[in-house]
Amino acid sequence: MVDAARARKLADRIQRIVAEMLERRVKDPRLGFVTVTDARLTNDLRDATVYYTVFGSDEEKAGTAAALESAKGIIRTEVGRQTGLRHTPSLTFKSDDVQRNAEHIETLLAQARLSDAEVAQAASAATPAGDPDPYKEPRRPEDDEE
């Protein structure tokens, strides 16, 4: 096992290498507008998961996933060359759902704002039930004795 801090540093390095490779060396026409968002490395440095986002339609996202799978060997070779590790980690590419999650959160927040506005509107016209000021007279100690 390796120190978790070292694994995180290597994961950051792998993220930069993969992003640079996708920008400069991988010339697959199926590759869309890809952003490498994160890389995670296991503590034994054997497996690396690279998270990416793609802007575009579902068809473009599928094409990008296929392009990444076909370029995996070239990218892994470059990762091994630049990191100098004895064993180059195997790469797994996963689509990062950050954009979809952010849109979902925005929708939920808009619904909450609408609900809060409805409650505030209903509360503005509301009147208290019963006596409007139930604490208008201070309590006296002799009232407690009865």
Side-chain angles (χ1 to χ4, degrees):
M1 291 299 214
V2 177
D3 182 27
R6 179 170 184 238
R8 185 68 220 159
K9 284 181 184 178
L10 282 170
D12 290 341
R13 180 74 181 132
I14 289 170
Q15 179 182 351
R16 286 192 301 273
I17 293 168
V18 171
E20 184 178 302
M21 288 287 296
L22 293 176
E23 182 180 338
R24 297 199 175 124
R25 294 218 13 222
V26 178
K27 301 296 181 193
D28 195 324
R30 299 174 293 179
L31 198 62
F33 184 68
V34 179
T35 303
V36 178
T37 57
D38 193 20
R40 299 211 176 128
L41 195 60
T42 58
N43 284 342
D44 62 356
L45 306 180
R46 296 288 179 167
D47 299 308
T49 305
V50 179
Y51 295 92
Y52 67 94
T53 59
V54 181
F55 293 107
S57 66
D58 290 337
E59 191 175 290
E60 290 171 333
K61 290 177 184 181
T64 298
L68 288 172
E69 283 299 315
S70 68
K72 188 186 288 190
I74 297 167
I75 296 170
R76 183 174 183 225
T77 301
E78 188 65 22
V79 166
R81 190 182 69 74
Q82 289 191 27
T83 57
L85 294 173
R86 181 177 295 167
H87 174 72
T88 303
S90 62
L91 299 177
T92 305
F93 291 99
K94 285 194 175 183
S95 179
D96 199 353
D97 295 332
V98 170
Q99 189 70 22
R100 190 172 349 134
N101 290 342
E103 290 171 0
H104 180 66
I105 290 171
E106 286 297 324
T107 303
L108 292 176
L109 287 173
Q111 290 174 353
R113 280 188 213 104
L114 181 64
S115 176
D116 286 348
E118 290 172 358
V119 168
Q121 184 180 10
S124 66
T127 58
D131 194 13
D133 188 10
Y135 304 106
K136 57 187 168 189
E137 288 184 24
R139 291 181 65 173
R140 293 185 300 237
E142 51 270 354
D143 291 340
D144 291 338
E145 294 175 2
E146 294 174 7

